[in-house]
């Protein structure tokens, strides 16, 4: 009986611990990224922000060792600058999620992640 | 599982696995992702097998809670196969993410909820082994754990995520090249058959350890399979 009580207590403690770890993580995850219309024109200070949207076709340009491009959600646009080369799968017209800071006019990305769609098409010729 | 059915499932798996491997190889290369997309033929079956295994262990736990101890080996075998399958799904997904997203991991809703699912069932598996069998609370917790599965599946629909939305289980037309779709379906079938065989084999081993003396003839036959498996000190009451 005593052993069972201890196991039950350990179980409850475990669940509470998992809750403490998981809930804040999940809460952060529920809004995994902001969209351009939510932050465009609003400086975010020193906060690290994730921003997701479509890379506007024709907006991608090389800037030294990095790139600059525009992200849109169809309602607003945010100009993003990254000092590093984005992943090889990065394309105009595709989705991307960037993480960094926003001063109200320029988003300085520390990380550029490619978000691919659930559409799978054959490479032409194969 | 009856012997005849078992041999049929074995034969089906022996056909389906090479067939799926062949179809996954000859399927066209993805226009956007290149060959990295072929990881889908491992990642998707692994995760779906894990879901199915957790459903199976929940069914067996329901029987256990009603006092039917015969389902204990199946409950444990299924959750073990599920945890291993989910681990394979996470590792292949991580590699796929690195190749296409550019990152190994990100705490988006799909990945976070999958991590929670994995940790919960891993903890339950460890609990069963530590306690030498299913206790009522472990069986009850296994049933509760199943509630996480729909959260994982719909996370990409309910919340903004990095992970893409479902393809096979998407509403409406499947946005996938038919040859890729066939290869994916074949790999899911192959994975399901393989998972079923693994659960059965493992359940037999666990059962043999549980009752080594009640059936002398069978116990002797099972001893051989015990030795050939020799996978850890598992004792069920």
């Amino acid at each position: 009986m005593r052993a069972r009580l201890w196991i039950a207590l350990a179980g409850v403690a475990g669940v509470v611990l998992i809750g403490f770890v998981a809930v804040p993580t999940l809460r952060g995850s529920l809004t995994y990224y902001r969209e351009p219309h939510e932050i465009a024109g609003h400086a975010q200070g020193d906060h690290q922000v994730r921003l997701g949207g479509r890379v506007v076709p024709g907006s991608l340009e090389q800037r030294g060792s990095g790139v600059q491009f525009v992200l849109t959600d169809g309602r607003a646009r945010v100009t993003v600058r990254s000092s590093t080369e984005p992943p090889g799968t990065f394309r105009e017209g595709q989705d991307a999620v960037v993480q960094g800071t926003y001063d109200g006019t320029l988003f300085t990305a520390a990380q550029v992640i490619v978000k691919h769609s659930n559409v799978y098409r054959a490479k032409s010729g194969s | 599982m009856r012997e005849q059915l078992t041999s049929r499932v074995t034969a089906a798996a022996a056909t389906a696995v090479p067939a799926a491997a062949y179809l996954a190889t000859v399927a066209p290369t993805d226009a956007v992702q290149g060959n990295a997309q072929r990881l889908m033929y491992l990642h998707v079956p692994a995760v779906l097998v894990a879901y199915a295994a957790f459903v199976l262990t929940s069914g067996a736990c329901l029987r256990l809670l009603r006092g039917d101890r015969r389902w204990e080996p199946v409950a444990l075998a299924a959750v073990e196969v599920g945890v291993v399958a989910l681990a394979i799904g996470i590792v292949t997904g991580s590699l796929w993410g690195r190749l296409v997203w550019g990152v190994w991991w990100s705490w988006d809703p799909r990945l976070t909820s999958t991590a929670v699912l994995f940790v919960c069932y891993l903890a339950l598996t460890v609990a069963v082994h530590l306690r030498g069998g299913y206790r009522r609370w472990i069986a009850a917790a296994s049933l509760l754990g199943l509630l996480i599965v729909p959260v994982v599946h719909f996370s990409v629909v309910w919340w903004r995520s990095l992970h893409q939305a479902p393809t096979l289980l998407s509403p409406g037309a499947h946005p996938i090249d038919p040859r890729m779709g066939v290869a994916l379906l074949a790999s899911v079938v192959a994975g399901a058959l393989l998972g079923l065989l693994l659960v059965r084999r493992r359940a037999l081993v666990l059962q043999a350890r549980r009752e080594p003396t009640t059936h002398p003839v069978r116990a002797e036959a099972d001893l051989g399979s015990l030795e050939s498996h020799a996978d850890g000190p598992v004792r069920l009451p």
Side-chain angles (χ1 to χ4, degrees):
Chain A
M1 249 0 249
R2 238 187 148 71
R4 188 176 289 189
L5 185 70
W6 278 113
I7 287 163
L9 283 176
V12 171
V15 169
V16 170
L17 198 69
I18 289 172
F20 268 108
V21 176
V23 169
T25 314
L26 272 175
R27 192 173 294 157
S29 281
L30 293 185
T31 47
Y32 176 66
Y33 57 78
R34 315 285 293 278
E35 291 181 344
H37 80 268
E38 293 168 338
I39 69 160
H42 302 287
Q44 303 291 309
D46 293 334
H47 285 288
Q48 283 281 316
V49 187
R50 266 201 213 101
L51 179 71
R54 185 143 297 179
V55 182
V56 174
S59 71
L60 180 65
E61 40 185 288
Q62 287 290 327
R63 290 269 170 146
S65 61
V67 288
Q68 180 176 309
F69 54 91
V70 177
L71 281 183
T72 184
D73 55 3
R75 295 162 69 181
R77 292 174 169 223
V78 170
T79 304
V80 180
R81 193 174 291 174
S82 165
S83 58
T84 55
E85 199 67 33
T89 45
F90 186 87
R91 299 273 185 283
E92 291 182 335
Q94 299 272 340
D95 289 350
V97 176
V98 295
Q99 189 174 339
T101 52
Y102 183 55
D103 65 6
T105 50
L106 185 70
F107 193 105
T108 308
Q111 189 179 41
V112 177
I113 304 175
V114 172
K115 176 173 155 58
H116 67 81
S117 71
N118 63 338
V119 178
Y120 303 92
R121 292 278 167 262
K123 199 181 242 173
S124 56
S126 67
Chain B
M1 227 186 297
R2 297 279 174 276
E3 281 312 310
Q4 199 187 2
L5 184 60
T6 306
S7 57
R8 274 185 198 164
V9 173
T10 309
T15 315
V17 172
Y22 172 74
L23 289 170
T25 313
V26 298
T29 308
D30 187 80
V32 180
Q33 305 182 27
N35 278 322
Q37 177 270 334
R38 291 185 203 278
L39 279 165
M40 172 197 254
Y41 307 123
L42 289 174
H43 176 71
V44 174
V47 175
L48 290 182
V49 165
Y51 290 175
F54 295 148
V55 171
L56 181 57
T57 197
S58 297
C61 283
L62 213 55
R63 297 293 193 103
L64 279 177
L65 284 173
R66 287 178 183 167
D68 189 351
R69 305 298 292 186
R70 284 176 303 170
W71 286 84
E72 192 161 23
V74 174
L76 183 53
V79 75
E80 285 179 351
V81 168
V83 165
V84 170
L86 196 57
I88 294 171
I90 290 171
V91 169
T92 52
S94 179
L95 181 60
W96 190 1
R98 179 67 188 85
L99 292 171
V100 175
W101 298 341
V103 289
W104 295 103
W105 186 270
S106 187
W107 291 101
D108 94 323
R110 169 59 73 84
L111 276 61
T112 306
S113 56
T114 305
V116 170
L117 181 70
F118 179 75
V119 168
C120 285
Y121 276 107
L122 181 65
L124 287 172
T125 311
V126 171
V128 177
H129 285 286
L130 285 180
R131 300 298 298 151
Y134 270 89
R135 294 290 174 268
R136 286 190 71 83
W137 68 270
I138 305 178
S142 296
L143 285 175
L144 281 179
L146 196 62
L147 293 176
I148 308 172
V149 170
V151 176
V152 172
H153 181 73
F154 288 107
S155 58
V156 289
V157 180
W158 293 339
W159 303 300
R160 294 173 189 173
S161 61
L162 175 60
H163 195 286
Q164 69 280 15
T167 296
L168 282 185
L169 300 172
S170 69
H174 306 308
I176 186 166
D177 184 284
R179 289 164 294 174
M180 294 177 179
V182 168
L184 183 56
L185 281 177
S187 62
V188 168
V189 170
L193 292 169
L194 221 52
L196 205 58
L197 288 173
L198 279 173
V199 169
R200 179 185 173 275
R201 227 188 151 95
R202 182 71 180 141
L204 284 178
V205 171
L206 292 168
Q207 193 171 24
R209 287 178 194 181
R210 191 166 71 152
E211 40 187 61
T213 49
T214 39
H215 306 285
V217 180
R218 219 182 67 205
E220 204 175 285
D222 280 340
L223 213 59
S225 66
L226 254 181
E227 279 167 6
S228 66
H229 285 97
D231 35 9
V234 184
R235 284 184 308 276
L236 287 169

PDB file of all heavy atoms in Angstrom, chain B residues 187-208:
ATOM      1  N   SER B 187       4.069   1.904 -49.092  1.00  0.00           N
ATOM      2  CA  SER B 187       4.971   1.912 -47.933  1.00  0.00           C
ATOM      3  C   SER B 187       4.180   1.899 -46.625  1.00  0.00           C
ATOM      4  O   SER B 187       4.629   1.317 -45.637  1.00  0.00           O
ATOM      5  CB  SER B 187       5.928   3.104 -47.995  1.00  0.00           C
ATOM      6  OG  SER B 187       5.221   4.315 -47.955  1.00  0.00           O
ATOM      7  N   VAL B 188       2.989   2.515 -46.642  1.00  0.00           N
ATOM      8  CA  VAL B 188       2.145   2.476 -45.438  1.00  0.00           C
ATOM      9  C   VAL B 188       1.657   1.042 -45.193  1.00  0.00           C
ATOM     10  O   VAL B 188       1.693   0.537 -44.064  1.00  0.00           O
ATOM     11  CB  VAL B 188       0.949   3.453 -45.566  1.00  0.00           C
ATOM     12  CG1 VAL B 188      -0.066   3.201 -44.455  1.00  0.00           C
ATOM     13  CG2 VAL B 188       1.439   4.895 -45.504  1.00  0.00           C
ATOM     14  N   VAL B 189       1.225   0.353 -46.283  1.00  0.00           N
ATOM     15  CA  VAL B 189       0.773  -1.042 -46.146  1.00  0.00           C
ATOM     16  C   VAL B 189       1.917  -1.920 -45.643  1.00  0.00           C
ATOM     17  O   VAL B 189       1.746  -2.717 -44.703  1.00  0.00           O
ATOM     18  CB  VAL B 189       0.232  -1.571 -47.504  1.00  0.00           C
ATOM     19  CG1 VAL B 189      -0.003  -3.073 -47.444  1.00  0.00           C
ATOM     20  CG2 VAL B 189      -1.063  -0.845 -47.879  1.00  0.00           C
ATOM     21  N   ALA B 190       3.100  -1.754 -46.245  1.00  0.00           N
ATOM     22  CA  ALA B 190       4.262  -2.550 -45.834  1.00  0.00           C
ATOM     23  C   ALA B 190       4.597  -2.297 -44.365  1.00  0.00           C
ATOM     24  O   ALA B 190       4.847  -3.239 -43.601  1.00  0.00           O
ATOM     25  CB  ALA B 190       5.465  -2.209 -46.717  1.00  0.00           C
ATOM     26  N   GLY B 191       4.550  -1.032 -43.968  1.00  0.00           N
ATOM     27  CA  GLY B 191       4.839  -0.675 -42.574  1.00  0.00           C
ATOM     28  C   GLY B 191       3.831  -1.286 -41.618  1.00  0.00           C
ATOM     29  O   GLY B 191       4.194  -1.802 -40.562  1.00  0.00           O
ATOM     30  N   ALA B 192       2.550  -1.264 -42.012  1.00  0.00           N
ATOM     31  CA  ALA B 192       1.495  -1.806 -41.155  1.00  0.00           C
ATOM     32  C   ALA B 192       1.678  -3.308 -40.957  1.00  0.00           C
ATOM     33  O   ALA B 192       1.566  -3.827 -39.844  1.00  0.00           O
ATOM     34  CB  ALA B 192       0.129  -1.504 -41.759  1.00  0.00           C
ATOM     35  N   LEU B 193       1.987  -4.043 -42.054  1.00  0.00           N
ATOM     36  CA  LEU B 193       2.185  -5.494 -41.963  1.00  0.00           C
ATOM     37  C   LEU B 193       3.391  -5.826 -41.093  1.00  0.00           C
ATOM     38  O   LEU B 193       3.347  -6.723 -40.236  1.00  0.00           O
ATOM     39  CB  LEU B 193       2.362  -6.088 -43.362  1.00  0.00           C
ATOM     40  CG  LEU B 193       1.123  -6.045 -44.257  1.00  0.00           C
ATOM     41  CD1 LEU B 193       1.479  -6.404 -45.697  1.00  0.00           C
ATOM     42  CD2 LEU B 193       0.049  -6.993 -43.733  1.00  0.00           C
ATOM     43  N   LEU B 194       4.468  -5.059 -41.308  1.00  0.00           N
ATOM     44  CA  LEU B 194       5.689  -5.263 -40.520  1.00  0.00           C
ATOM     45  C   LEU B 194       5.419  -4.999 -39.036  1.00  0.00           C
ATOM     46  O   LEU B 194       5.842  -5.780 -38.162  1.00  0.00           O
ATOM     47  CB  LEU B 194       6.765  -4.298 -41.038  1.00  0.00           C
ATOM     48  CG  LEU B 194       8.191  -4.795 -41.165  1.00  0.00           C
ATOM     49  CD1 LEU B 194       8.255  -6.081 -41.957  1.00  0.00           C
ATOM     50  CD2 LEU B 194       9.053  -3.720 -41.815  1.00  0.00           C
ATOM     51  N   GLY B 195       4.685  -3.931 -38.758  1.00  0.00           N
ATOM     52  CA  GLY B 195       4.343  -3.580 -37.385  1.00  0.00           C
ATOM     53  C   GLY B 195       3.522  -4.669 -36.713  1.00  0.00           C
ATOM     54  O   GLY B 195       3.768  -5.041 -35.562  1.00  0.00           O
ATOM     55  N   LEU B 196       2.561  -5.211 -37.468  1.00  0.00           N
ATOM     56  CA  LEU B 196       1.687  -6.271 -36.950  1.00  0.00           C
ATOM     57  C   LEU B 196       2.508  -7.503 -36.569  1.00  0.00           C
ATOM     58  O   LEU B 196       2.332  -8.082 -35.498  1.00  0.00           O
ATOM     59  CB  LEU B 196       0.669  -6.622 -38.034  1.00  0.00           C
ATOM     60  CG  LEU B 196      -0.662  -7.227 -37.595  1.00  0.00           C
ATOM     61  CD1 LEU B 196      -1.372  -6.296 -36.626  1.00  0.00           C
ATOM     62  CD2 LEU B 196      -1.538  -7.507 -38.804  1.00  0.00           C
ATOM     63  N   LEU B 197       3.431  -7.896 -37.457  1.00  0.00           N
ATOM     64  CA  LEU B 197       4.274  -9.070 -37.196  1.00  0.00           C
ATOM     65  C   LEU B 197       5.170  -8.848 -35.982  1.00  0.00           C
ATOM     66  O   LEU B 197       5.368  -9.751 -35.165  1.00  0.00           O
ATOM     67  CB  LEU B 197       5.120  -9.401 -38.427  1.00  0.00           C
ATOM     68  CG  LEU B 197       4.352  -9.992 -39.610  1.00  0.00           C
ATOM     69  CD1 LEU B 197       5.248 -10.118 -40.818  1.00  0.00           C
ATOM     70  CD2 LEU B 197       3.755 -11.351 -39.241  1.00  0.00           C
ATOM     71  N   LEU B 198       5.711  -7.630 -35.887  1.00  0.00           N
ATOM     72  CA  LEU B 198       6.585  -7.319 -34.747  1.00  0.00           C
ATOM     73  C   LEU B 198       5.823  -7.380 -33.425  1.00  0.00           C
ATOM     74  O   LEU B 198       6.315  -7.924 -32.440  1.00  0.00           O
ATOM     75  CB  LEU B 198       7.191  -5.918 -34.919  1.00  0.00           C
ATOM     76  CG  LEU B 198       8.404  -5.810 -35.824  1.00  0.00           C
ATOM     77  CD1 LEU B 198       8.786  -4.347 -36.020  1.00  0.00           C
ATOM     78  CD2 LEU B 198       9.571  -6.584 -35.238  1.00  0.00           C
ATOM     79  N   VAL B 199       4.597  -6.840 -33.427  1.00  0.00           N
ATOM     80  CA  VAL B 199       3.786  -6.861 -32.206  1.00  0.00           C
ATOM     81  C   VAL B 199       3.508  -8.308 -31.802  1.00  0.00           C
ATOM     82  O   VAL B 199       3.654  -8.685 -30.634  1.00  0.00           O
ATOM     83  CB  VAL B 199       2.448  -6.103 -32.408  1.00  0.00           C
ATOM     84  CG1 VAL B 199       1.503  -6.366 -31.240  1.00  0.00           C
ATOM     85  CG2 VAL B 199       2.702  -4.608 -32.546  1.00  0.00           C
ATOM     86  N   ARG B 200       3.159  -9.154 -32.779  1.00  0.00           N
ATOM     87  CA  ARG B 200       2.840 -10.546 -32.479  1.00  0.00           C
ATOM     88  C   ARG B 200       4.053 -11.272 -31.898  1.00  0.00           C
ATOM     89  O   ARG B 200       3.964 -11.951 -30.880  1.00  0.00           O
ATOM     90  CB  ARG B 200       2.377 -11.258 -33.748  1.00  0.00           C
ATOM     91  CG  ARG B 200       2.063 -12.718 -33.507  1.00  0.00           C
ATOM     92  CD  ARG B 200       1.713 -13.440 -34.780  1.00  0.00           C
ATOM     93  NE  ARG B 200       1.588 -14.856 -34.510  1.00  0.00           N
ATOM     94  CZ  ARG B 200       2.606 -15.706 -34.493  1.00  0.00           C
ATOM     95  NH1 ARG B 200       3.832 -15.253 -34.731  1.00  0.00           N
ATOM     96  NH2 ARG B 200       2.425 -16.968 -34.229  1.00  0.00           N
ATOM     97  N   ARG B 201       5.199 -11.102 -32.560  1.00  0.00           N
ATOM     98  CA  ARG B 201       6.425 -11.764 -32.123  1.00  0.00           C
ATOM     99  C   ARG B 201       6.804 -11.355 -30.709  1.00  0.00           C
ATOM    100  O   ARG B 201       7.123 -12.182 -29.859  1.00  0.00           O
ATOM    101  CB  ARG B 201       7.550 -11.358 -33.085  1.00  0.00           C
ATOM    102  CG  ARG B 201       8.385 -12.508 -33.559  1.00  0.00           C
ATOM    103  CD  ARG B 201       9.566 -11.979 -34.326  1.00  0.00           C
ATOM    104  NE  ARG B 201      10.658 -12.913 -34.194  1.00  0.00           N
ATOM    105  CZ  ARG B 201      10.917 -13.866 -35.093  1.00  0.00           C
ATOM    106  NH1 ARG B 201      10.144 -14.007 -36.141  1.00  0.00           N
ATOM    107  NH2 ARG B 201      11.931 -14.680 -34.907  1.00  0.00           N
ATOM    108  N   ARG B 202       6.754 -10.070 -30.469  1.00  0.00           N
ATOM    109  CA  ARG B 202       7.133  -9.533 -29.161  1.00  0.00           C
ATOM    110  C   ARG B 202       6.137 -10.001 -28.089  1.00  0.00           C
ATOM    111  O   ARG B 202       6.530 -10.329 -26.970  1.00  0.00           O
ATOM    112  CB  ARG B 202       7.177  -8.008 -29.247  1.00  0.00           C
ATOM    113  CG  ARG B 202       7.610  -7.317 -27.971  1.00  0.00           C
ATOM    114  CD  ARG B 202       9.065  -7.520 -27.689  1.00  0.00           C
ATOM    115  NE  ARG B 202       9.426  -6.839 -26.442  1.00  0.00           N
ATOM    116  CZ  ARG B 202      10.255  -7.328 -25.537  1.00  0.00           C
ATOM    117  NH1 ARG B 202      10.844  -8.488 -25.732  1.00  0.00           N
ATOM    118  NH2 ARG B 202      10.527  -6.659 -24.442  1.00  0.00           N
ATOM    119  N   ALA B 203       4.844 -10.024 -28.450  1.00  0.00           N
ATOM    120  CA  ALA B 203       3.824 -10.457 -27.486  1.00  0.00           C
ATOM    121  C   ALA B 203       4.043 -11.910 -27.096  1.00  0.00           C
ATOM    122  O   ALA B 203       3.882 -12.282 -25.934  1.00  0.00           O
ATOM    123  CB  ALA B 203       2.426 -10.257 -28.074  1.00  0.00           C
ATOM    124  N   LEU B 204       4.439 -12.757 -28.068  1.00  0.00           N
ATOM    125  CA  LEU B 204       4.698 -14.172 -27.773  1.00  0.00           C
ATOM    126  C   LEU B 204       5.870 -14.326 -26.809  1.00  0.00           C
ATOM    127  O   LEU B 204       5.826 -15.131 -25.883  1.00  0.00           O
ATOM    128  CB  LEU B 204       4.974 -14.937 -29.067  1.00  0.00           C
ATOM    129  CG  LEU B 204       3.749 -15.258 -29.923  1.00  0.00           C
ATOM    130  CD1 LEU B 204       4.155 -15.972 -31.192  1.00  0.00           C
ATOM    131  CD2 LEU B 204       2.753 -16.104 -29.132  1.00  0.00           C
ATOM    132  N   VAL B 205       6.922 -13.523 -27.047  1.00  0.00           N
ATOM    133  CA  VAL B 205       8.091 -13.570 -26.157  1.00  0.00           C
ATOM    134  C   VAL B 205       7.690 -13.164 -24.740  1.00  0.00           C
ATOM    135  O   VAL B 205       8.027 -13.823 -23.760  1.00  0.00           O
ATOM    136  CB  VAL B 205       9.207 -12.636 -26.689  1.00  0.00           C
ATOM    137  CG1 VAL B 205      10.323 -12.489 -25.673  1.00  0.00           C
ATOM    138  CG2 VAL B 205       9.755 -13.165 -28.001  1.00  0.00           C
ATOM    139  N   LEU B 206       6.924 -12.070 -24.645  1.00  0.00           N
ATOM    140  CA  LEU B 206       6.508 -11.571 -23.327  1.00  0.00           C
ATOM    141  C   LEU B 206       5.615 -12.589 -22.625  1.00  0.00           C
ATOM    142  O   LEU B 206       5.732 -12.811 -21.427  1.00  0.00           O
ATOM    143  CB  LEU B 206       5.768 -10.241 -23.487  1.00  0.00           C
ATOM    144  CG  LEU B 206       6.621  -9.067 -23.953  1.00  0.00           C
ATOM    145  CD1 LEU B 206       5.742  -7.882 -24.348  1.00  0.00           C
ATOM    146  CD2 LEU B 206       7.597  -8.644 -22.870  1.00  0.00           C
ATOM    147  N   GLN B 207       4.757 -13.243 -23.407  1.00  0.00           N
ATOM    148  CA  GLN B 207       3.849 -14.232 -22.838  1.00  0.00           C
ATOM    149  C   GLN B 207       4.630 -15.431 -22.304  1.00  0.00           C
ATOM    150  O   GLN B 207       4.337 -15.947 -21.226  1.00  0.00           O
ATOM    151  CB  GLN B 207       2.851 -14.688 -23.898  1.00  0.00           C
ATOM    152  CG  GLN B 207       1.688 -15.465 -23.331  1.00  0.00           C
ATOM    153  CD  GLN B 207       0.632 -15.706 -24.383  1.00  0.00           C
ATOM    154  OE1 GLN B 207       0.938 -15.705 -25.581  1.00  0.00           O
ATOM    155  NE2 GLN B 207      -0.588 -15.887 -23.967  1.00  0.00           N
ATOM    156  N   ALA B 208       5.638 -15.844 -23.068  1.00  0.00           N
ATOM    157  CA  ALA B 208       6.448 -17.003 -22.658  1.00  0.00           C
ATOM    158  C   ALA B 208       7.162 -16.718 -21.337  1.00  0.00           C
ATOM    159  O   ALA B 208       7.313 -17.597 -20.497  1.00  0.00           O
ATOM    160  CB  ALA B 208       7.467 -17.318 -23.752  1.00  0.00           C
TER     161      ALA B 208
END
